[in-house]
Amino acid sequence: MTLIILPALAQEEGGLSLTLGVEQRFEAGDNLGLERPEEGNSALSTTSLTFGLDTATSNQSLSATAGFSLRAGEVPSSSDTETGFVEPQFTFNYMREGYDSVFNVDGSYRESDIAFTSALSDFTDETGVIVLPEDFQNLDGSGTRRNYSLRTSLETGRNAPLGFVFDANVRGISYDQQSANLDDNFRYGAGVRANLRFTEVTTGFAAYNFDHFESDDAQNTERDTNAIEVGVAQELSERASFEAAIGFTDVEEELNGFSMSTSGLTGRFSFNYLMPDGAITSSYSTTVDQDGSRHTINVGRSFELPRGMFAIDVGATKEESADADLIGSVRYTQQLPTGSFSVGLNRGVSTNSDDNERITTTADLGYDHEINNLSSIGFDLSFGLSEASGGNANDDTRRTDVSASYRRQVTSDWSMTTGVAYRVRDEDIGGKSDSTSIFLTLNRDFNLLR
């Protein structure tokens, strides 16, 4: 598809960008894979190349990236860290907008070395919040992890009284490994939503979603989830709005050939109120999965500051036959006269690679101080925790990363970062391991069309 779209986009407006990113990283330390029992010292050199393509016209855009790394060095004889050609990855997104419709498709593929543990900062979303990977709880051992996804959606009737949204997706994780804790999993789904715009401020909607999940675990799990929902979105004023919906979810699960089902009513309600300096939000939801129903309530307040922002929300979630868990988030960012400061805490419900709900807690703290126009120092702390909902199992997994770095613009094109890092992984079942390392990174981006 890229070969067909790219010439048309480039010829129409010429908005084409081709870039090459080069990064050279030198790293030395002990137990870089956070293994148990701990391995010895390693010294690695990693060269990473990333190719990027971006092009856009008035009604469509295409972006794609592809990259890989070449890793060499000395590792302990007991280490499972891979060298040579490692970590190929590819992402793309295509969007086309019409007068009354929009089409979007995006996909990704990435291979990573299970024994070469990534930093928690590699899993941040667009807002800077750490989002733990689905298999965070069990991600240790040796071999290769392959993560892939493909999503597409089509929205029609965006400005019409009646409109539709169609979407479909497929994603999965597979392993070439020796750890008994990691199971391949695969899911696909599709959905349709009808939007009925009664007035400029009132929209009714009805939706149906289907999801299929299967895992190569000991139970050969297969699960089908069907969900329907109807609701209304209402603007009460220029500042206030709410959305309410009621639905029904049915889950059919098969474990080693034995079938079981779970079903029930679902519902949700949210209210937003814009303030001169931020917003007030509140929400309540009831969801259903293979473990039964879950009730979640949340209220929040955000503030826009002169040189930053502050947001806080707090709530609780309760799974059927389990104790309630406290959830919420706090985020504060501030631009300083000579740098910046940020701190965040987030605790909520997520779904792991076994399609089971877990309570995840992440925290991050960052401080940057500008020494002059060319150099700065930084301190970063990240924390991640995955635990069973309701505290009913002693299988928590914790991860802490701490780093201090010095950054300098060596030339107008090349930048350098050097520093020290300390990482800890602590599991209730597997035990504790840590690693200390020093690193030096050089990087530059080339514009191939300049």
Side-chain angles (χ1 to χ4, degrees), residues 103-162:
F103 171 75
N104 188 84
V105 59
D106 61 82
S108 66
Y109 176 84
R110 180 177 181 178
E111 292 186 10
S112 56
D113 186 354
I114 296 174
F116 194 75
T117 310
S118 299
L120 285 176
S121 57
D122 291 347
F123 302 105
T124 55
D125 63 12
E126 62 276 3
T127 65
V129 175
I130 298 173
V131 180
L132 299 180
E134 296 178 7
D135 47 3
F136 171 80
Q137 176 187 354
N138 300 317
L139 194 55
D140 58 6
S142 63
T144 301
R145 175 185 188 263
R146 299 179 179 88
N147 188 5
Y148 56 91
S149 67
L150 178 65
R151 298 180 295 270
T152 184
S153 64
L154 172 65
E155 182 177 0
T156 64
R158 302 176 71 192
N159 305 306
L162 178 62

Side-chain angles (χ1 to χ4, degrees), residues 13 40 45 49 74 110 147 196 221 223 234 301 319 356-357 374 396 435 444:
E13 293 189 4
S45 170
L49 299 178
E74 296 184 1
R110 180 177 181 178
N147 188 5
L196 182 59
T221 302
R223 185 178 302 118
Q234 175 73 46
R301 177 74 163 95
E319 188 181 26
N356 295 319
E357 290 186 333
L374 297 177
D396 298 352
S435 170
R444 177 183 175 177

Side-chain angles (χ1 to χ4, degrees), residues 24 52 84 139 228 274 278-279 281-282 284 325 337 347 396 415:
Q24 177 63 52
L139 194 55
I228 57 173
L274 299 178
T281 60
S282 62
Y284 171 81
D325 290 289
R347 178 176 170 85
D396 298 352
S415 62

